[in-house]
Amino acid sequence: CLCYRRLDVDAREKRPSMPDGDAIRVGLEVRSHLMTGKNNRDSVHRLEPERAVWLARFPEENPDPVLRVSAEGRVLYCNSAAAKLAEQMGGHDVPLDESLLPVVTRAMTEQRGVQHDVELAGRCYSISAMPFPAEAYVNLYAHDVTERRRSENALHESEARYRTLFETAPDAIVVHRDGRFLHANMEALRLTGARDFAQLAGHSVLDFFRPED
């Protein structure tokens, strides 16, 4: 705005040295810029409440549960996704579920973001807690990791079954790379005379088994 006013003064000072039409045009353009700047400021002021409403929709539209909890463990805010877990997470201004209290306490005590896994309503959630000590509250961001946990558990169970079959097989089973032992089951240890796999690790299979065997 200050720049526009300086231009207006310059235009009046130079008016005798330029055609009248040019001076009038410059003055109109400067006043037009001033009006445009005012209109822009008015538009910004009008948009500020609209932007606040727009930003407030962000946590509500999050498909994952989002909560704000006081340092004492009372729910100050929960979005729609968190409200679906009302029985476990509480509602507004009610005590937080006991399974979530440790992560709130830890975040406030250590004054840093922490993560904790909990089970709520038969689902597994990874909880990220971000503390704001000056305001005495903690933001909780929950992500449903149930399917990932089920896949991990299924993999671990499959590995356990494979290991059991491998170790208890009646035949000698050896796993090697480039002819050197990587794994050997109990029967293979018995045939080689090794007390444990440490005696075989790194050795060539041919040191214990002949090709014709």
Side-chain angles (χ1 to χ4, degrees), residues 140-189:
L140 299 179
Y141 307 93
H143 181 60
D144 191 334
V145 294
T146 305
E147 300 306 323
R148 188 180 73 189
R149 289 286 185 270
R150 287 175 179 171
S151 297
E152 292 174 351
N153 291 338
L155 178 61
H156 293 158
E157 291 174 2
S158 177
E159 290 176 345
R161 286 194 300 270
Y162 168 77
R163 182 171 295 278
T164 299
L165 291 173
F166 176 81
E167 294 292 348
T168 60
D171 297 324
I173 301 176
V174 170
V175 180
H176 68 89
R177 177 181 295 152
D178 298 328
R180 297 190 177 277
F181 286 101
L182 288 180
H183 299 287
N185 70 348
M186 296 300 295
E187 182 62 15
L189 294 180

Side-chain angles (χ1 to χ4, degrees), residues 30-50:
V30 171
R31 283 191 292 275
S32 175
H33 283 306
L34 287 171
M35 292 299 295
T36 300
K38 180 177 182 299
N39 291 339
N40 286 340
R41 289 195 301 274
D42 292 342
S43 297
V44 169
H45 289 312
R46 287 196 302 270
L47 288 175
E48 284 177 353
E50 297 177 8

Side-chain angles (χ1 to χ4, degrees), residues 74-165:
R74 299 187 70 84
V75 178
L76 305 176
Y77 165 82
C78 62
N79 69 348
S80 299
K84 294 179 180 179
L85 297 172
E87 293 182 0
Q88 287 72 32
M89 292 184 171
H92 293 280
D93 197 33
V94 298
L96 188 68
D97 184 78
E98 291 184 358
S99 63
L100 295 174
L101 285 176
V103 68
V104 173
T105 302
R106 181 183 167 197
M108 288 299 293
T109 301
E110 300 180 7
Q111 296 189 10
R112 65 180 183 87
V114 298
Q115 193 166 358
H116 184 67
D117 289 351
V118 299
E119 186 173 332
L120 298 167
R123 307 286 294 181
C124 185
Y125 289 88
S126 178
I127 308 293
S128 296
M130 183 60 63
F132 295 86
E135 289 79 13
Y137 66 74
V138 177
N139 286 344
L140 299 179
Y141 307 93
H143 181 60
D144 191 334
V145 294
T146 305
E147 300 306 323
R148 188 180 73 189
R149 289 286 185 270
R150 287 175 179 171
S151 297
E152 292 174 351
N153 291 338
L155 178 61
H156 293 158
E157 291 174 2
S158 177
E159 290 176 345
R161 286 194 300 270
Y162 168 77
R163 182 171 295 278
T164 299
L165 291 173

